[in-house]
């Protein structure tokens, strides 16, 4: 059994390096304590600052290292003042999605009972659902290539059978894992607009076909507009939601809002071979260099990486460490006495990460 996993690390721009360093320290600590596996980190350059220096945003060598790594950990890339000659921003993270065919954008939304947030949850209720956003086609298919004339503009939405089948299988497998671990009811909801667009009726039809292979799970549908309403009115009802790229883009920010902000929202972009784990937020250049960034979305993304590696390689110690790390962050947030500025506190990035380290140490000692 392979016990050493190579992780390609993109530190990125802005607050990227500030949130990457404490995250890697926590991962190293978990691996050292577990003795069941080892992590080898390889830092590779890419991003807006690298482009400004060298004229290359995603060097071929960085792509090669990422392709051959067991997993990819990425903080945030892009700076508003550094752009390609056509005016668009530097986004190697989107190039990675396309290069490695990372069709499943996984966005967990979690708020524990009693945790402060924009919604007051009814007694005993918690939010724990996962939004799976298709990430390679949909309305992003014609990104940068839409037709614009003096009088009209057109963009093309593309939904393919092949990608949709992979996406739905991934979503049902995820719902099954969640059910087995006691975290979900075993339900997948296809979020679409099948009442208006033929492309979404096609999407829904494929979903229903794939659902036949999962008789132990519940499959249902919801329109995207109603889903936005229910995410605010009864978010505790959802388990796994799966949707098209643009709908997922919008709903995942609503999900981040439910948790209290971007600083708490982790994500993963998963394909058949590679996977990238990164916080939902950008490089936050407005607070870079101040030591004020919230590291939790990055740490939670790293926990998702451990879980994905653990499941893929049938390595229980990694899955257990993933759960430990996630719970430690949740404990720090729920306690509320060491919060960064974005959450209304005064803690620095280092203080917030150190609080997670102390919870992990305490849990180990008990
Ligand atoms: P992108 O387009 O790359 O996603 P963006 O322009 O939408 O980026 P972000 O970089 O995510 O925006 O920043 C949006 C706001 O949220 C900024 O005010 C930023 O300071 C804040 N923010 C983002 N991430 C964090 C974080 N980890 N900690 C604290 N504040 C954050």
């Amino acid at each position: 059994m392979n016990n050493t996993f190579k992780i390609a690390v993109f530190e990125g721009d802005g607050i990227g390096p500030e949130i990457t360093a404490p995250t890697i320290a926590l991962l190293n600590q978990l691996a050292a304590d577990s003795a069941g596996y080892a992590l080898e980190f390889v830092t590779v350059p890419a991003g807006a600052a690298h482009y400004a220096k060298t004229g290359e945003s995603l060097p071929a060598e960085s792509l090669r290292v990422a392709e051959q790594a067991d997993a990819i950990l990425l903080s945030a890339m892009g700076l508003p003042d550094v752009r390609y000659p056509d005016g668009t921003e530097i986004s190697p993270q989107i190039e990675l999605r396309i290069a490695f065919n990372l069709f499943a954008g996984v966005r967990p939304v979690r708020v524990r009972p009693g945790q402060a947030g924009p919604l007051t949850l009814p007694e005993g209720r918690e939010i724990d659902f996962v939004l799976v956003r298709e990430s390679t086609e949909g309305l992003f298919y014609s990104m940068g290539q839409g037709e614009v004339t003096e009088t009209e503009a057109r963009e093309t939405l593309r939904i393919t059978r092949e990608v949709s089948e992979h996406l739905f299988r991934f979503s049902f497998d995820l719902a099954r894992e969640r059910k087995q671990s006691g975290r979900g009811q075993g339900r997948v909801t296809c979020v679409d607009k099948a009442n208006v667009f033929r492309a979404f009726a096609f999407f829904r039809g494929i979903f229903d076909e794939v659902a036949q292979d999962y008789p132990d799970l519940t499959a249902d549908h919801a329109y995207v507009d109603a889903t936005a309403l229910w995410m605010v009115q009864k978010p505790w009802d959802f388990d796994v939601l799966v949707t098209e790229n643009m709908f997922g883009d919008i709903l995942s920010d609503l999900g981040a809002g439910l948790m209290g902000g971007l600083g708490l929202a982790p994500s993963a972009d998963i394909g058949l071979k590679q996977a990238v784990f990164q916080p939902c937020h950008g490089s936050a250049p407005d607070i870079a260099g101040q030591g004020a960034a919230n590291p939790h979305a990055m740490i939670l993304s790293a926990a998702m990486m451990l879980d994905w590696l653990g499941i893929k390689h049938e390595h229980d110690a990694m899955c257990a460490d993933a759960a430990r790390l996630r719970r430690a962050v949740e404990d720090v947030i729920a306690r509320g006495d060491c919060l960064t500025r974005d959450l209304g506190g005064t803690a620095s990035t280092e203080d917030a990460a150190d609080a997670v380290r102390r919870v992990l140490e305490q849990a180990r000692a008990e």
Side-chain angles (χ1 to χ4, degrees):
M1 190 187 204
N2 172 24
N3 281 332
T4 300
F5 299 93
K6 195 177 200 174
I7 314 296
V9 180
F10 289 89
E11 287 186 329
D13 298 306
I15 60 169
E18 296 169 47
I19 56 174
T20 304
T23 302
I24 290 182
L26 287 167
L27 288 172
N28 272 329
Q29 181 194 332
L30 283 168
D33 292 345
S34 141
Y37 65 93
L39 300 173
E40 187 190 322
F41 296 96
V42 186
T43 303
V44 282
H50 189 74
Y51 175 79
K53 234 184 342 189
T54 66
E56 265 191 315
S57 57
L58 179 58
E61 177 60 11
S62 298
L63 195 62
R64 193 193 63 78
V65 171
E67 184 171 17
Q68 288 175 4
D70 292 295
I72 301 159
L73 188 61
L74 192 154
S75 57
M77 294 202 227
L79 292 170
D81 301 339
V82 182
R83 294 184 181 243
Y84 292 120
D86 69 358
T88 57
E89 279 197 39
I90 317 293
S91 319
Q93 62 277 29
I94 299 182
E95 289 168 53
L96 287 174
R97 261 178 230 163
I98 307 294
F100 298 151
N101 215 357
L102 308 178
F103 55 86
V106 183
R107 314 286 152 96
V109 179
R110 175 125 169 96
V111 180
R112 289 213 313 209
Q115 183 183 325
L119 293 186
T120 308
L121 300 182
E123 184 72 26
R125 291 282 196 194
E126 64 176 348
I127 304 176
D128 186 359
F129 67 86
V130 182
L131 182 71
V132 182
R133 164 190 175 186
E134 196 292 312
S135 298
T136 58
E137 49 183 33
L139 194 52
F140 281 66
Y141 169 68
S142 65
M143 192 174 64
Q145 298 165 49
E147 297 162 41
V148 182
T149 68
E150 279 290 303
T151 50
E152 72 174 69
R154 289 173 189 234
E155 298 278 351
T156 305
L157 176 142
R158 182 178 195 234
I159 288 177
T160 64
R161 170 169 286 278
E162 189 188 356
V163 171
S164 302
E165 282 181 358
H166 285 315
L167 178 78
F168 295 139
R169 286 198 190 288
F170 177 90
S171 304
F172 281 105
D173 289 340
L174 175 66
R176 189 177 271 163
E177 276 155 26
R178 280 169 55 85
K179 187 176 176 186
Q180 282 165 358
S181 68
R183 282 189 71 186
Q185 326 125 43
R187 176 170 160 229
V188 184
T189 305
C190 178
V191 178
D192 58 45
K193 195 73 184 166
N195 51 336
V196 177
F197 296 103
R198 292 171 69 189
F200 284 109
F202 176 71
F203 188 67
R204 184 182 280 208
I206 300 166
F207 173 82
D208 289 342
E209 281 170 32
V210 173
Q212 304 285 320
D213 294 339
Y214 295 84
D216 52 320
L217 302 176
T218 305
D220 59 13
H221 319 109
Y223 297 129
V224 64
D225 40 350
T227 303
L229 178 77
W230 294 332
M231 274 175 72
V232 175
Q233 285 189 337
K234 45 174 188 173
W236 45 84
D237 262 11
F238 295 124
D239 184 359
V240 174
L241 301 172
V242 57
T243 193
E244 178 269 342
N245 206 342
M246 180 61 113
F247 291 165
D249 188 32
I250 298 165
L251 292 182
S252 60
D253 267 32
L254 176 49
L258 290 176
M259 284 190 279
L262 281 170
L264 295 178
S267 84
D269 289 307
I270 297 179
L272 295 179
K273 282 198 190 128
Q274 288 87 6
V276 173
F277 298 84
Q278 71 168 121
C280 286
H281 59 73
S283 64
D286 53 333
I287 58 163
Q290 299 175 15
N294 184 343
H296 293 320
M298 180 76 180
I299 299 172
L300 291 170
S301 304
M304 290 176 76
M305 180 184 81
L306 282 184
D307 197 45
W308 179 77
L309 282 169
I311 291 170
K312 185 172 176 191
H313 298 278
E314 297 181 357
H315 212 304
D316 293 346
M318 296 185 95
C319 293
D321 277 355
R324 238 174 246 135
L325 187 55
R326 178 174 53 78
R327 272 199 305 269
V329 172
E330 288 172 1
D331 281 353
V332 169
I333 296 161
R335 246 183 14 217
D337 57 357
C338 189
L339 300 179
T340 42
R341 248 169 26 202
D342 56 312
L343 300 178
T346 55
S348 66
T349 307
E350 216 172 292
D351 294 338
D354 205 48
V356 176
R357 184 188 59 74
R358 276 185 273 115
V359 171
L360 284 171
E361 271 174 10
Q362 206 176 336
R364 206 179 53 249
E366 279 165 9

